[in-house]
Protein backbone atom coordinates (compact mmCIF):
# COMPACT_ATOMS: atom_id res chain seq x y z
CA UNK A 1 0.00 0.00 0.00
CA UNK A 2 1.36 3.43 -0.98
CA UNK A 3 2.53 5.54 1.97
CA UNK A 4 3.64 9.16 1.89
CA UNK A 5 3.50 11.79 -0.85
CA UNK A 6 4.89 11.54 -4.40
CA UNK A 7 8.26 10.54 -2.94
CA UNK A 8 6.71 7.81 -0.78
CA UNK A 9 6.96 4.02 -1.13
CA UNK A 10 4.92 0.85 -0.92
CA UNK A 11 4.58 -0.75 2.53
CA UNK A 12 3.36 -4.31 3.04
CA UNK A 13 0.52 -5.19 5.44
CA UNK A 14 -1.03 -8.53 6.29
CA UNK A 15 -4.83 -8.37 6.31
CA UNK A 16 -7.09 -11.39 7.07
CA UNK A 17 -9.26 -12.61 4.16
CA UNK A 18 -13.03 -12.35 4.67
CA UNK A 19 -16.01 -13.47 2.64
CA UNK A 20 -17.17 -10.81 0.11
CA UNK A 21 -14.30 -8.56 1.19
CA UNK A 22 -13.82 -5.41 -0.90
CA UNK A 23 -10.58 -3.55 -1.52
CA UNK A 24 -12.00 -0.71 0.58
CA UNK A 25 -12.50 -3.21 3.45
CA UNK A 26 -8.80 -4.06 3.21
CA UNK A 27 -7.77 -0.39 3.31
CA UNK A 28 -10.12 0.25 6.23
CA UNK A 29 -8.71 -2.75 8.14
CA UNK A 30 -5.19 -1.35 7.78
CA UNK A 31 -6.30 2.08 9.00
CA UNK A 32 -8.34 0.72 11.94
CA UNK A 33 -6.07 -2.07 13.19
CA UNK A 34 -2.56 -1.65 11.78
CA UNK A 35 -1.80 2.04 11.21
CA UNK A 36 -4.29 4.81 12.15
CA UNK A 37 -2.21 7.40 10.28
CA UNK A 38 -3.16 5.95 6.87
CA UNK A 39 -5.02 8.56 4.77
CA UNK A 40 -7.68 7.64 2.21
CA UNK A 41 -11.11 8.79 1.09
CA UNK A 42 -14.52 7.16 0.99
CA UNK A 43 -18.10 8.07 1.86
CA UNK A 44 -21.00 5.96 0.59
CA UNK A 45 -19.43 2.47 0.27
CA UNK A 46 -22.03 1.58 -2.37
CA UNK A 47 -20.73 3.10 -5.63
CA UNK A 48 -22.61 6.38 -5.46
CA UNK A 49 -20.24 9.12 -4.26
CA UNK A 50 -17.16 8.38 -6.38
CA UNK A 51 -14.70 9.28 -3.61
CA UNK A 52 -13.03 5.89 -3.03
CA UNK A 53 -11.24 5.46 -6.39
CA UNK A 54 -7.65 4.22 -6.16
CA UNK A 55 -5.16 2.30 -8.27
CA UNK A 56 -5.60 -1.41 -7.57
CA UNK A 57 -3.08 -3.80 -9.09
CA UNK A 58 -2.27 -1.24 -11.78
CA UNK A 59 -5.83 -0.23 -12.72
CA UNK A 60 -8.02 2.62 -11.46
CA UNK A 61 -11.12 1.29 -9.73
CA UNK A 62 -13.83 2.09 -7.20
CA UNK A 63 -12.47 0.26 -4.18
CA UNK A 64 -15.89 -0.09 -2.50
CA UNK A 65 -17.28 -2.06 -5.46
CA UNK A 66 -14.19 -4.13 -6.18
CA UNK A 67 -14.08 -7.54 -4.51
CA UNK A 68 -10.68 -8.85 -3.52
CA UNK A 69 -11.58 -12.28 -4.96
CA UNK A 70 -12.11 -10.68 -8.38
CA UNK A 71 -8.85 -8.76 -8.64
CA UNK A 72 -6.47 -10.76 -6.45
CA UNK A 73 -7.38 -14.46 -6.34
CA UNK A 74 -3.89 -15.21 -4.96
CA UNK A 75 -4.46 -12.61 -2.25
CA UNK A 76 -1.84 -10.01 -3.17
CA UNK A 77 -2.99 -6.45 -3.69
CA UNK A 78 -0.99 -3.38 -4.64
CA UNK A 79 -3.01 -0.29 -3.75
CA UNK A 80 -1.99 3.27 -4.60
CA UNK A 81 -3.58 6.70 -5.16
CA UNK A 82 -5.21 7.54 -8.50
CA UNK A 83 -2.69 8.22 -11.28
CA UNK A 84 -2.43 11.51 -13.23
CA UNK A 85 -3.11 13.58 -10.11
CA UNK A 86 -0.79 14.89 -7.37
CA UNK A 87 -0.70 12.79 -4.19
CA UNK A 88 -1.80 14.56 -1.01
CA UNK A 89 -0.86 11.66 1.26
CA UNK A 90 -0.97 7.86 1.03
CA UNK A 91 -4.08 6.89 -0.97
CA UNK A 92 -5.61 10.36 -1.21
CA UNK A 93 -5.06 12.07 -4.58
CA UNK A 94 -5.58 15.80 -4.99
CA UNK A 95 -8.72 16.17 -7.16
CA UNK A 96 -8.50 19.95 -7.56
CA UNK A 97 -7.15 19.93 -11.11
CA UNK A 98 -9.78 17.37 -12.13
CA UNK A 99 -12.59 19.68 -10.98
CA UNK A 100 -10.92 22.82 -12.32
CA UNK A 101 -10.90 21.19 -15.77
CA UNK A 102 -14.57 20.33 -15.34
CA UNK A 103 -15.17 24.08 -14.81
CA UNK A 104 -12.93 24.99 -17.76
CA UNK A 105 -15.07 22.76 -19.98
CA UNK A 106 -18.10 24.79 -18.77
CA UNK A 107 -19.49 21.83 -16.87
CA UNK A 108 -22.01 23.95 -14.93
CA UNK A 109 -25.60 24.22 -16.18
CA UNK A 110 -26.57 27.77 -17.25
CA UNK A 111 -30.35 28.15 -17.29
CA UNK A 112 -31.98 29.82 -20.29
CA UNK A 113 -35.15 30.61 -18.30
CA UNK A 114 -35.81 32.27 -14.98
CA UNK A 115 -37.83 30.89 -12.06
CA UNK A 116 -40.74 33.03 -13.23
CA UNK A 117 -40.93 31.31 -16.63
CA UNK A 118 -42.97 28.21 -17.27
CA UNK A 119 -41.02 24.94 -16.95
CA UNK A 120 -39.77 23.85 -20.35
CA UNK A 121 -41.03 20.43 -21.44
CA UNK A 122 -38.38 18.19 -23.02
CA UNK A 123 -39.66 15.03 -24.62
CA UNK A 124 -37.94 11.95 -23.14
CA UNK A 125 -37.82 10.52 -26.67
CA UNK A 126 -36.11 13.50 -28.32
CA UNK A 127 -32.68 12.85 -29.84
CA UNK A 128 -30.99 15.54 -27.71
CA UNK A 129 -32.52 14.20 -24.49
CA UNK A 130 -31.42 10.64 -25.32
CA UNK A 131 -27.86 11.84 -25.99
CA UNK A 132 -27.77 13.91 -22.78
CA UNK A 133 -29.12 10.97 -20.75
CA UNK A 134 -26.45 8.60 -22.06
CA UNK A 135 -23.69 10.71 -20.54
CA UNK A 136 -25.37 12.12 -17.45
CA UNK A 137 -24.72 9.44 -14.81
CA UNK A 138 -21.09 10.45 -14.19
CA UNK A 139 -20.26 10.66 -10.46
CA UNK A 140 -16.85 12.32 -10.96
CA UNK A 141 -14.84 9.47 -9.50
CA UNK A 142 -11.77 10.28 -11.64
CA UNK A 143 -11.26 6.66 -12.81
CA UNK A 144 -11.36 7.64 -16.49
CA UNK A 145 -9.03 10.59 -15.87
CA UNK A 146 -6.49 8.29 -14.19
CA UNK A 147 -6.80 5.79 -17.07
CA UNK A 148 -6.26 8.33 -19.86
CA UNK A 149 -2.85 8.34 -21.58
CA UNK A 150 -3.52 11.73 -23.14
CA UNK A 151 -3.96 13.27 -19.68
CA UNK A 152 -0.59 11.74 -18.75
CA UNK A 153 1.20 13.25 -21.79
CA UNK A 154 -0.64 16.54 -22.05
CA UNK A 155 -1.17 18.42 -18.80
CA UNK A 156 -3.56 20.86 -20.47
CA UNK A 157 -5.94 18.13 -21.70
CA UNK A 158 -9.37 18.56 -20.11
CA UNK A 159 -9.85 14.81 -19.85
CA UNK A 160 -12.72 12.39 -20.42
CA UNK A 161 -14.96 13.30 -17.46
CA UNK A 162 -15.01 17.06 -18.12
CA UNK A 163 -15.61 16.54 -21.84
CA UNK A 164 -18.29 13.94 -21.18
CA UNK A 165 -20.04 16.49 -18.95
CA UNK A 166 -19.74 19.17 -21.62
CA UNK A 167 -21.38 16.79 -24.12
CA UNK A 168 -24.26 16.16 -21.75
CA UNK A 169 -24.88 19.92 -21.44
CA UNK A 170 -24.42 20.57 -25.15
CA UNK A 171 -27.43 18.31 -25.63
CA UNK A 172 -29.45 19.91 -22.83
CA UNK A 173 -31.98 22.08 -24.64
CA UNK A 174 -32.56 24.17 -21.48
CA UNK A 175 -28.93 25.33 -21.29
CA UNK A 176 -27.87 28.79 -22.52
CA UNK A 177 -24.06 28.54 -22.54
CA UNK A 178 -23.35 26.44 -25.60
CA UNK A 179 -21.40 28.98 -27.71
CA UNK A 180 -18.94 29.51 -24.82
CA UNK A 181 -18.89 25.76 -24.08
CA UNK A 182 -18.05 24.87 -27.67
CA UNK A 183 -15.27 27.48 -27.65
CA UNK A 184 -13.89 25.96 -24.45
CA UNK A 185 -13.89 22.36 -25.68
CA UNK A 186 -12.55 23.27 -29.13
CA UNK A 187 -9.53 25.11 -27.68
CA UNK A 188 -6.08 23.57 -27.24
CA UNK A 189 -6.32 20.78 -24.64
CA UNK A 190 -9.97 20.20 -25.61
CA UNK A 191 -11.77 17.39 -27.43
CA UNK A 192 -9.44 17.35 -30.46
CA UNK A 193 -6.53 16.24 -28.24
CA UNK A 194 -8.29 12.91 -27.55
CA UNK A 195 -6.72 9.99 -29.40
CA UNK A 196 -9.79 7.75 -28.97
CA UNK A 197 -7.85 5.08 -27.05
CA UNK A 198 -11.06 4.18 -25.20
CA UNK A 199 -9.39 3.37 -21.87
CA UNK A 200 -11.94 5.73 -20.29
CA UNK A 201 -14.84 3.80 -21.76
CA UNK A 202 -13.29 0.45 -20.88
CA UNK A 203 -12.77 1.33 -17.21
CA UNK A 204 -15.68 3.63 -16.34
CA UNK A 205 -17.48 1.82 -13.49
CA UNK A 206 -20.74 3.50 -14.52
CA UNK A 207 -20.44 1.96 -18.00
CA UNK A 208 -20.44 5.41 -19.58
CA UNK A 209 -18.72 6.06 -22.89
CA UNK A 210 -16.71 9.32 -22.70
CA UNK A 211 -15.00 8.38 -26.00
CA UNK A 212 -18.36 8.59 -27.79
CA UNK A 213 -19.18 11.89 -26.03
CA UNK A 214 -15.84 13.34 -27.14
CA UNK A 215 -16.44 12.14 -30.70
CA UNK A 216 -19.76 14.01 -30.58
CA UNK A 217 -17.96 17.18 -29.45
CA UNK A 218 -15.41 16.77 -32.26
CA UNK A 219 -18.23 16.61 -34.82
CA UNK A 220 -20.09 19.60 -33.36
CA UNK A 221 -17.03 21.82 -33.03
CA UNK A 222 -15.91 20.95 -36.57
CA UNK A 223 -19.37 21.84 -37.89
CA UNK A 224 -19.33 25.14 -35.94
CA UNK A 225 -15.85 25.91 -37.28
CA UNK A 226 -16.93 25.30 -40.90
CA UNK A 227 -19.91 27.61 -40.37
CA UNK A 228 -17.56 30.30 -39.05
CA UNK A 229 -19.02 30.14 -35.54
CA UNK A 230 -15.74 29.31 -33.82
S1 LIG B 1 -17.05 9.12 -16.71
FE1 LIG B 1 -17.13 7.26 -15.45
S2 LIG B 1 -15.02 6.92 -14.80
FE2 LIG B 1 -15.15 9.04 -15.53
S3 LIG B 1 -15.51 10.26 -13.70
FE3 LIG B 1 -17.52 9.77 -14.60
S4 LIG B 1 -18.19 7.91 -13.57
FE4 LIG B 1 -16.01 8.11 -13.16
S1 LIG C 1 -10.59 7.98 -25.56
FE1 LIG C 1 -9.73 10.03 -25.27
S2 LIG C 1 -10.37 10.63 -23.23
FE2 LIG C 1 -10.69 8.40 -23.36
S3 LIG C 1 -8.81 7.51 -22.51
FE3 LIG C 1 -8.52 7.72 -24.72
S4 LIG C 1 -7.51 9.71 -25.08
FE4 LIG C 1 -8.37 9.69 -22.97
S1 LIG D 1 -17.25 4.99 -1.28
FE1 LIG D 1 -18.68 6.04 -2.56
S2 LIG D 1 -18.24 5.20 -4.55
FE2 LIG D 1 -16.97 4.06 -3.22
Amino acid sequence: MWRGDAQGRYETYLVPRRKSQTVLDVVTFVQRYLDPTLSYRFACRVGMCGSCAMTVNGRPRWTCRTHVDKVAPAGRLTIGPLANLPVIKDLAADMRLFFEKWQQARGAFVPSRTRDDAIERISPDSKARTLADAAIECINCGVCYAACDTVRWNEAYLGPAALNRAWSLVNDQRDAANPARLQAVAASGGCHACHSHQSCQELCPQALNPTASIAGLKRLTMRAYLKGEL
Side-chain angles (χ1 to χ4, degrees):
M1 199 168 285
W2 188 259
R3 301 306 310 270
D5 57 16
Q7 272 69 55
R9 63 200 157 91
Y10 283 99
E11 297 273 352
T12 302
Y13 301 93
L14 284 176
V15 175
R17 286 293 282 269
R18 304 248 195 269
K19 201 163 170 259
S20 303
Q21 188 177 32
T22 65
V23 175
L24 185 60
D25 292 335
V26 170
V27 174
T28 302
F29 184 94
V30 172
Q31 198 265 345
R32 294 217 177 132
Y33 300 107
L34 304 178
D35 186 348
T37 68
L38 176 70
S39 301
Y40 66 110
R41 239 190 250 115
F42 75 97
C44 71
R45 303 185 76 118
V46 289
M48 287 180 75
C49 71
S51 65
C52 69
M54 299 172 204
T55 308
V56 181
N57 287 359
R59 281 174 67 155
R61 293 178 180 277
W62 290 348
T63 53
C64 72
R65 297 295 299 270
T66 302
H67 282 97
V68 174
D69 286 347
K70 188 179 154 203
V71 291
R76 201 179 167 80
L77 283 171
T78 304
I79 309 172
L82 277 185
N84 294 344
L85 289 160
V87 187
I88 300 172
K89 180 175 172 285
D90 305 334
L91 305 173
D94 186 342
M95 301 293 288
R96 260 178 304 188
L97 189 58
F98 175 83
F99 287 109
E100 279 164 15
K101 289 182 175 178
W102 204 83
Q103 287 176 309
Q104 274 174 44
R106 307 271 175 164
F109 174 70
V110 179
S112 51
R113 295 191 175 192
T114 71
R115 64 177 64 209
D116 302 319
D117 296 324
I119 295 174
E120 195 171 353
R121 294 176 68 88
I122 308 287
S123 164
D125 306 327
S126 71
K127 189 174 174 222
R129 171 67 190 261
T130 310
L131 289 169
D133 278 356
I136 210 164
E137 295 291 341
C138 171
I139 61 169
N140 290 313
C141 64
V143 163
C144 56
Y145 190 86
C148 177
D149 283 344
T150 307
V151 170
R152 195 161 311 140
W153 301 325
N154 178 358
E155 228 180 283
Y157 180 46
L158 294 173
L163 292 168
N164 179 71
R165 171 65 182 169
W167 175 244
S168 205
L169 287 177
V170 155
N171 288 295
D172 189 331
Q173 291 164 293
R174 304 161 308 152
D175 187 277
N178 271 337
R181 190 169 293 117
L182 285 185
Q183 291 274 4
V185 301
S188 160
C191 60
H192 296 284
C194 167
H195 295 303
S196 310
H197 293 151
Q198 291 191 306
S199 310
C200 51
Q201 178 252 325
E202 235 172 79
L203 293 178
C204 172
Q206 287 283 76
L208 300 183
N209 189 346
T211 318
S213 300
I214 296 166
L217 289 176
K218 286 178 179 172
R219 283 194 302 275
L220 266 192
T221 50
M222 189 50 76
R223 226 175 280 154
Y225 175 75
L226 292 175
K227 284 191 203 157
E229 293 167 0
L230 278 181

